[in-house]
Amino acid sequence: MEILKDTALKLKKMSPTISIHNLSNFSGISTLKNVFQSLAMLDAVLSPEWEYRYYSFDSKWSSSEMLGSMRNGSGDHLFALFNSFGCIVKGFNHEAPLHSLYLDPCDVSKEVLQSLPDRINGYLQEPALVSEEITFCLWRSYTDANWKATKVDCLNDSDDPDGSGELLMALKRTPQEHKLWVDEYYEVDVPIELVNYVYEHRPFTQATIEKYCLDNFSLSDLLKLDSGKFSVQ
């Protein structure tokens, strides 16, 4: 765990500063979807068991929706819902300074949800999105020029009161930065060529798998585990 904290500090210094309070460098909807798919694909290869993965993506969440997710195993999570409206990103950071303002942790979520437009709040009522755990939310329709985000008053002096910076910065890593994180998290030495390959959002083939490391793993294994959820051929 200490190693991961050290890695997180290194990445925080390397990655661009981003949070719901500074979204000028945040990705557009299409790019964000590609990032989630790419990170989830790499995780699927490194961790065939879904419950142990950090990133996941389901292109068949419903007949008209896709869902990207991040779970760090410590209770924090990030969901990105892609639908006909556009994209809604909902996050929960259990160590966010925002919690210190409330006696009951549930009050934090109530305050954030109440700050949302009714339409966005409605999208988050799906039980799988755990609406009772939320410290920030951002959204963007296909016709919007910019992202919009929750605005909850926080008297804390922290530069990341809602924990959004810590969770969102992972979506802006370069391939080199993500390799550093993957090597520490999975305790492997992932070829940078493989990380570059998935960041380019290129389809996985059997030749790809054989070229980059995956002993005793085949394309049929990947298709069996995640049929239809990623860009595979």
Side-chain angles (χ1 to χ4, degrees):
M1 187 61 70
E2 288 301 320
I3 294 177
L4 284 175
K5 288 182 179 179
D6 290 343
T7 301
L9 289 173
K10 293 177 184 176
L11 291 173
K12 188 172 183 179
K13 294 177 180 179
M14 296 165 66
S15 301
T17 301
I18 192 166
S19 73
I20 65 168
H21 311 286
N22 179 19
L23 292 169
S24 59
N25 291 319
F26 198 54
S27 306
I29 296 175
S30 180
T31 299
L32 183 62
K33 182 174 69 174
N34 287 351
V35 168
F36 263 106
Q37 287 178 312
S38 295
L39 297 179
M41 171 61 84
L42 186 58
D43 263 25
V45 169
L46 297 172
S47 180
E49 298 298 326
W50 179 86
E51 60 267 28
Y52 299 121
R53 297 179 197 167
Y54 204 96
Y55 297 98
S56 297
F57 191 88
D58 191 343
S59 65
K60 298 181 179 180
W61 174 248
S62 77
S63 60
S64 59
E65 296 175 312
M66 299 182 183
L67 183 70
S69 62
M70 181 281 286
R71 299 177 180 84
N72 69 1
S74 298
D76 303 332
H77 61 248
L78 191 68
F79 292 113
L81 181 66
F82 302 91
N83 56 20
S84 58
F85 163 80
C87 179
I88 302 94
V89 179
K90 172 257 185 186
F92 177 72
N93 187 324
H94 77 284
E95 294 184 335
L98 185 63
H99 287 291
S100 66
L101 300 180
Y102 300 86
L103 295 176
D104 185 345
C106 293
D107 289 341
V108 177
S109 298
K110 291 177 183 177
E111 185 76 12
V112 175
L113 289 171
Q114 288 174 0
S115 74
L116 293 171
D118 290 343
R119 182 176 188 179
I120 304 303
N121 198 332
Y123 288 131
L124 299 181
Q125 296 313 305
E126 161 61 46
L129 299 183
V130 203
S131 65
E132 66 271 19
E133 294 183 348
I134 180 171
T135 52
F136 66 91
C137 181
L138 55 150
W139 61 94
R140 182 174 180 176
S141 73
Y142 289 112
T143 58
D144 287 338
N146 301 292
W147 290 91
K148 300 175 182 178
T150 45
K151 294 181 180 179
V152 177
D153 291 335
C154 182
L155 302 179
N156 193 290
D157 292 333
S158 169
D159 58 358
D160 190 22
D162 45 43
S164 59
E166 181 179 347
L167 298 184
L168 293 176
M169 73 173 189
L171 303 177
K172 293 295 292 182
R173 291 175 188 153
T174 65
Q176 291 77 15
E177 290 169 349
H178 192 63
K179 171 182 162 51
L180 174 63
W181 179 86
V182 168
D183 288 352
E184 296 288 2
Y185 187 77
Y186 286 107
E187 298 182 343
V188 295
D189 184 12
V190 177
I192 185 60
E193 294 82 5
L194 175 60
V195 182
N196 285 331
Y197 190 93
V198 296
Y199 260 75
E200 292 168 1
H201 204 62
R202 297 166 64 186
F204 260 57
T205 64
Q206 184 59 42
T208 308
I209 290 173
E210 292 174 354
K211 179 178 180 180
Y212 289 122
C213 67
L214 309 174
D215 296 335
N216 302 318
F217 196 80
S218 68
L219 181 61
S220 61
D221 293 327
L222 188 59
L223 289 170
K224 190 183 300 181
L225 288 167
D226 296 279
S227 180
K229 295 186 179 181
F230 304 110
S231 176
V232 295
Q233 290 183 352

